[in-house]
Amino acid sequence: MCGRFALTLPPEAMVQLFGAAPANDLPELPNWNICPTNAVHAVLSQEGTRRFVSLRWGFIPVWYKSPGDGPLLINARAETIAEKPAFRQAARARRCLVPASGFYEWTKDGDGKRLPWYIHPEGQEFVAFAGVWQDWTSADGLALSTCAIVTTEANEALGHIHHRMPVTVAEPDWGLWLGEAGHGAAVLMRPAPEDLFAAYRVDPRVNSNRAEGPELIEPFDG
């Protein structure tokens, strides 16, 4: 799964890399501890134009009467996304890219203590997670643009940490995932190459969703 991640690149750099027009309400960066329900950066493509926007991380299906009307949907499983009522229309028509410098996962020691790991791409500054998005409006007019990150089974390199991982979309495939290059995006929902990510233990301070600062992604030997 993906339940926490970091993004440290300047928005201006990502605007250039994605070739996307930026919105005015983008979240502040850097952020070393992006949590569910936070606003995240995302790239959409609408009528052939890429937009760099802010989305609430936590997909809200159209039938929810309030944001908390059902489970918090931060991830969408690649294996079932095309059939699940919450996601199937978005998987066809509302796909997005969510940039990340790295993400966190947890293992447990013999006493059940949660041990955080930081997982980041080797030799590059960020990756683009596959996502789906949904506009949601309540009966009293509250409007939210929301998203979920698509996950798949972990590759062998990361399977000892967690059995799931985010789907990553390589730059040559961005247009295909965003719907700019015709059909066939489903083939992208597979584990990342074995050599894409490196992982190391980090400070348990990141176990708190209130923790912040660059030290959260520094190697930890404790």
Side-chain angles (χ1 to χ4, degrees):
M1 64 173 293
C2 179
R4 211 86 69 77
F5 67 98
L7 182 59
T8 60
L9 279 178
E12 298 81 6
M14 290 184 290
V15 163
Q16 286 193 326
L17 288 166
F18 285 105
N24 294 324
D25 61 345
L26 293 173
E28 186 175 344
L29 289 177
N31 189 339
W32 292 272
N33 193 8
I34 300 171
C35 304
T37 74
N38 287 172
V40 302
H41 295 75
V43 179
L44 319 178
S45 184
Q46 295 175 309
E47 297 181 354
T49 299
R50 289 185 185 178
R51 298 172 52 225
F52 199 41
V53 302
S54 173
L55 300 176
R56 174 193 185 266
W57 186 19
F59 190 97
I60 305 179
V62 292
W63 59 82
Y64 276 26
K65 293 181 173 61
S66 70
D69 199 32
L72 180 60
L73 304 177
I74 61 170
N75 295 151
R77 293 176 65 93
E79 298 87 344
T80 58
I81 193 171
E83 289 80 37
K84 288 287 186 181
F87 298 122
R88 61 190 177 199
Q89 186 56 36
R92 295 189 191 102
R94 291 188 301 279
R95 298 189 295 269
C96 62
L97 296 169
V98 180
S101 301
F103 66 102
Y104 300 96
E105 286 295 358
W106 282 260
T107 55
K108 290 185 178 180
D109 64 13
D111 298 322
K113 182 180 178 181
R114 298 178 76 228
L115 307 175
W117 296 72
Y118 185 62
I119 302 166
H120 67 99
E122 283 200 292
Q124 58 191 73
E125 293 185 286
F126 79 104
V127 290
F129 294 155
V132 290
W133 65 278
Q134 169 77 53
D135 283 334
W136 175 86
T137 305
S138 69
D140 59 0
L142 173 65
L144 294 172
S145 294
T146 71
C147 70
I149 291 170
V150 183
T151 66
T152 187
E153 62 182 14
N155 59 24
E156 290 188 12
L158 298 182
H160 68 288
I161 300 175
H162 199 277
H163 66 284
R164 305 289 296 177
M165 68 185 304
V167 170
T168 57
V169 182
E171 184 174 357
D173 297 320
W174 288 350
L176 181 58
W177 182 255
L178 292 174
E180 300 167 344
H183 302 290
V187 303
L188 304 177
M189 293 190 288
R190 58 182 182 265
E194 298 293 337
D195 60 352
L196 178 59
F197 289 110
Y200 54 82
R201 286 275 314 283
V202 290
D203 196 310
R205 280 206 321 115
V206 79
N207 292 353
S208 169
N209 59 14
R210 293 185 294 275
E212 57 184 32
E215 63 274 12
L216 295 182
I217 64 171
E218 294 178 359
F220 179 75
D221 295 326

